[in-house]
Amino acid sequence: MQTFDLEAEGLRALNSALHALKGQTNMTAWEVINPKGAHAIAAGVDAPVEITVRGSTGYYCAGMNKLATIRIKGSAGPGVAENMMSGTVIIDGDASQYAGATGRGGLLVIKGNASSRCGISMKGIDIVVHGNIGHMSCFMAQSGNLVVLGDAGEALGDSLYEARLFVRGKVKSLGTDCIEKEMRDEHFLIVEDLLRRGEADAKARPEEFRRYGSARKLYNFNIDNAQSY
Amino acid sequence: MCGIVGLFLKDPKLEPRLGQLLTDMLVTMTDRGPDSAGIAIYSGAEEGQAKLTLQSASPETDFADLDVALAKAIGAPVSVAVKSTHAVVDLPAGKLDAARQALASHRPAIKVMSAGESIEIFKEVGLPKDVAARFEVAKMSGTHGIGHTRMATESAVTTMGAHPFSTGADQCLVHNGSLSNHNGVRRVLKKAGMTFETENDTEVAAAFISHKLQEGKKLGEAMEATLTDLDGFFTFVVGTKNGFGVVRDPIACKPAVMAETDQYVAFGSEYRALVNLPGIETARVWEPEPATVYFWER
C-alpha cells in the first residue's frame, strides 16, 4: 500500500506519481490522506490500480479516469469523474454538480445524493446513484445508463439522445423530448447488473424502476416548426 | 468565479476566534478571485452605542482629528479607531444620522462602508491575506461574519466595487455570479428612495433586500423575493444584526457548501474553505438546494 499525504506532499507530486504508472505495475494499492477538498485529485490516471481517498474532494476528482478503481471516503466536489473513459469511481458521500459529465465509459457510483446536471452529455458511462439527483440531469446524454434509487429533479433528460435513464422514485419533471418508456427484459437485466456492480442490490430490485428515454422528436428538423426560428 | 465564506457562531466560546477562523477560510478561497477582498464582522456593541465604518483614499488627511470634528458636529462623544484606509467610529446610536450628515458636509471624500449597532466592514483591492492583515481581521471577535474574494465581471476593480455591500443598518450582502437586470432594478429602487455608490450589480441585490426589509418584510421573505425579481446567476450570503442567510438562483451553477455543528453554521464556495473548522469531521455537510432560502437568526 502506497500512502500519500496530500497536505504534506502536494497535488502535483501525487498526480505525477499516479501518471507514471502505466500498464501493469506492482504498486496497485494507493491511499490518499488529508485530501481536504483539494482539486483534481487522481485526475488522468491510466493504470489498473486501486486508489482510496480518505476524505472529501474538490473539483474534478478522478477526471478522465482510465482503468483505475477510485474510492472516495467522503463527498466529492463538482465534476467528479468528468469524462471518465473506463474503470470505477465509488463515492461514499454526496457528489456536487455535473458528476460523470461527458463520461465515455466505466462505472460511477454515488452512495449519497448527486446534485444538478448529473450525467450531463454522458457518452457511454454507467452511473448508479443510491440517493437523489438534481435538476437538468442527463441533459443531452448520448449513451450509457443512469440508475437512480431515489428521486430525480426538474427537466430530467432534456434533449436526450440514446442514454437509458432508470429512476425508482419520483421524477419532478421530464425535459423536452424525454418520455417514459416500457421496461423490457433487457432493461431489467441492465438494472440488475448495475445494482449489483453499484453495491446497491441489497437496497432495490430491478422491477421497482421506470425507464425514461428519448422520444427522438428532436433528431430531425421539422419543417412545420420553421416559422419558430 | 469569486469566493464566499461565512460563519455564524452558536457557541459563544468561539466568538474570540471569529476573525481568525473567517480569515483562514477566506485566504483558502484566494484563487477563486484575487482582485479584491472584504470582510463584514458583527462584533456587537455596547447598549445605546452604534458604529460607522469609514473608508478614505487619503486617510492621513481625512481621518485627522476626525473624533474632535465629529464630536463637535453632533454634540456627543465620539471615538475613532483608524485601521489603514478604514476607520471605525463609535458613537451614541441616536447620533448615527447626524454623524453621516456631518461627514458628507465636512469630509465629503470619506465613504461610509457600513453603519449599525454591530457591523464593521473592511474591504480593499488586493489578495485576501493582504487585505485581512491590513485590517487585522484575525484579531477580531464577533458573533457572525461574511467574507468575499472577488473576480470582477460587472464593474471595475475598486475599493467600492469590492464586497460586502451594505445598504442598510447592520445589513450586508456578498455575491458570486452576475445579474443581468440590475440596471432596471436599480432604477426602480432609486425611485423608491434607495441610494447607490457604484454601478455594481451586487450593490443592487443588497439594496433590493434592504428595501424589502424597510418595507417590513422578514429576512426570509426578502431573500425569497430575489428569486422572482432578480435575473442572473447568484449565490448570495446575507448578514443582518442577528441573522445569516443563503440563497442560490434556480440554475445553481455557482457553487456552495454548508456545514453545521452544535457550535456554528458555516458557508464556503468550496469544501476547502471549511476543512480547518473545529469539528468539521463530524459536521453535517450539504450543498444548499437551488431556489431555496436558508437562514439562521439568534
Side-chain angles (χ1 to χ4, degrees):
Chain A
M1 168 82 77
Q2 317 288 316
T3 297
F4 195 98
D5 184 340
L6 194 66
E7 196 174 24
E9 300 177 66
L11 180 72
R12 289 206 173 195
L14 172 70
N15 284 344
S16 301
L18 294 174
H19 293 168
L21 307 170
K22 291 279 184 220
Q24 295 303 314
T25 166
N26 57 6
M27 293 193 287
T28 55
W30 290 71
E31 178 186 54
V32 179
I33 59 170
N34 290 319
K36 297 203 164 184
H39 299 172
I41 294 172
V45 180
D46 185 6
V49 296
E50 297 246 351
I51 301 166
T52 301
V53 183
R54 302 233 174 255
S56 294
T57 61
Y59 282 78
Y60 309 127
C61 181
M64 302 171 283
N65 183 49
K66 253 184 178 172
L67 303 172
T69 297
I70 300 175
R71 289 180 180 270
I72 300 171
K73 297 291 180 186
S75 291
V80 65
E82 186 166 88
N83 211 70
M84 178 153 72
M85 302 300 285
S86 63
T88 304
V89 174
I90 301 172
I91 300 155
D92 280 2
D94 299 328
S96 186
Q97 53 183 330
Y98 47 94
T102 75
R104 300 186 72 97
L107 172 67
L108 169 63
V109 180
I110 298 158
K111 294 194 172 177
N113 301 314
S115 71
S116 60
R117 295 172 275 274
C118 180
I120 185 169
S121 197
M122 58 195 261
K123 303 176 173 73
I125 191 174
D126 291 324
I127 302 176
V128 178
V129 182
H130 292 206
N132 306 322
I133 59 172
H135 63 274
M136 292 300 284
S137 288
C138 291
F139 175 62
M140 295 188 87
Q142 288 148 57
S143 62
N145 301 291
L146 171 76
V147 174
V148 180
L149 277 67
D151 301 334
E154 286 173 297
L156 177 70
D158 194 287
S159 308
L160 191 66
Y161 292 86
E162 292 302 305
R164 302 182 196 92
L165 318 183
F166 303 97
V167 181
R168 186 168 70 149
K170 293 189 293 288
V171 173
K172 195 161 184 191
S173 65
L174 292 173
T176 302
D177 211 34
C178 183
I179 55 169
E180 184 172 353
K181 292 184 167 182
E182 178 196 7
M183 283 285 283
R184 296 194 303 266
D185 290 348
E186 68 262 37
H187 303 122
F188 289 112
L189 292 174
I190 291 170
V191 174
E192 184 178 27
D193 174 58
L194 284 173
L195 286 174
R196 185 177 45 75
R197 291 197 289 131
E199 301 176 3
D201 45 349
K203 294 183 179 174
R205 289 176 290 113
E207 53 273 27
E208 294 169 346
F209 288 81
R210 302 170 88 149
R211 178 169 71 106
Y212 304 89
S214 176
R216 301 177 179 131
K217 293 267 174 64
L218 296 178
Y219 274 33
N220 301 299
F221 181 69
N222 183 344
I223 192 67
D224 294 340
N225 294 335
Q227 64 198 36
S228 305
Y229 296 98
Chain B
M1 286 198 289
C2 296
I4 301 177
V5 299
L7 194 54
F8 178 85
L9 299 179
K10 301 182 196 173
D11 181 356
K13 285 203 288 293
L14 282 180
E15 289 178 8
R17 293 175 60 197
L18 179 73
Q20 179 66 56
L21 292 168
L22 211 51
T23 300
D24 287 352
M25 291 166 77
L26 188 60
V27 169
T28 310
M29 291 291 94
T30 298
D31 50 13
R32 294 192 63 88
D35 295 344
S36 28
I39 276 195
I41 295 250
Y42 290 84
S43 53
E46 285 171 45
E47 189 70 33
Q49 290 292 105
K51 288 191 278 199
L52 284 170
T53 316
L54 309 177
Q55 185 270 349
S56 166
S58 356
E60 301 82 9
T61 47
D62 278 336
F63 295 155
D65 300 323
L66 184 62
D67 48 351
V68 179
L70 264 183
K72 191 177 163 198
I74 66 172
V78 165
S79 74
V80 176
V82 176
K83 280 186 180 177
S84 183
T85 54
H86 288 45
V88 179
V89 180
D90 197 42
L91 73 172
K95 298 288 185 185
L96 257 183
D97 289 341
R100 292 186 76 152
Q101 282 165 18
L103 284 166
S105 56
H106 297 349
R107 308 265 170 116
I110 288 180
K111 302 283 188 189
V112 176
M113 294 306 205
S114 68
E117 291 175 27
S118 183
I119 191 172
E120 294 177 28
I121 288 181
F122 301 93
K123 60 187 193 184
E124 270 299 353
V125 173
L127 295 174
K129 72 172 169 55
D130 298 330
V131 173
R134 193 167 179 173
F135 300 114
E136 300 181 317
V137 176
K139 290 183 183 166
M140 295 183 71
S141 64
T143 52
H144 53 298
I146 294 169
H148 185 273
T149 180
R150 181 174 187 225
M151 193 178 84
T153 54
E154 295 293 307
S155 70
V157 178
T158 61
T159 304
M160 295 309 286
H163 304 210
F165 283 94
S166 181
T167 47
D170 284 312
Q171 294 159 18
C172 76
L173 176 144
V174 298
H175 174 202
N176 178 13
S178 56
L179 302 179
S180 45
N181 66 339
H182 62 100
N183 286 328
V185 177
R186 190 187 291 109
R187 274 194 294 275
V188 173
L189 290 171
K190 273 184 178 169
K191 273 192 183 159
M194 301 300 289
T195 55
F196 293 85
E197 296 279 347
T198 70
E199 293 300 306
N200 185 283
D201 56 335
T202 304
E203 189 182 17
V204 173
F208 177 82
I209 288 179
S210 293
H211 184 244
K212 292 284 178 200
L213 294 173
Q214 276 176 23
E215 286 180 329
K217 297 275 193 301
K218 292 194 163 58
L219 175 60
E221 295 169 330
M223 291 176 70
E224 194 81 43
T226 64
L227 293 167
T228 48
D229 290 17
L230 299 182
D231 185 23
F233 295 116
F234 56 83
T235 292
F236 294 135
V237 178
V238 177
T240 65
K241 189 177 150 197
N242 303 314
F244 170 86
V246 173
V247 63
R248 304 172 78 195
D249 71 77
I251 304 291
C253 62
K254 297 299 176 186
V257 182
M258 301 208 64
E260 183 165 15
T261 71
D262 292 343
Q263 289 189 293
Y264 58 79
V265 178
F267 177 96
S269 290
E270 300 176 29
Y271 178 73
R272 278 191 301 158
L274 312 179
V275 294
N276 291 325
L277 288 172
I280 190 70
E281 303 77 15
T282 52
R284 182 171 81 92
V285 177
W286 79 100
E287 190 169 298
E289 294 281 331
T292 304
V293 172
Y294 297 80
F295 67 95
W296 290 263
E297 281 181 311
R298 63 183 88 245

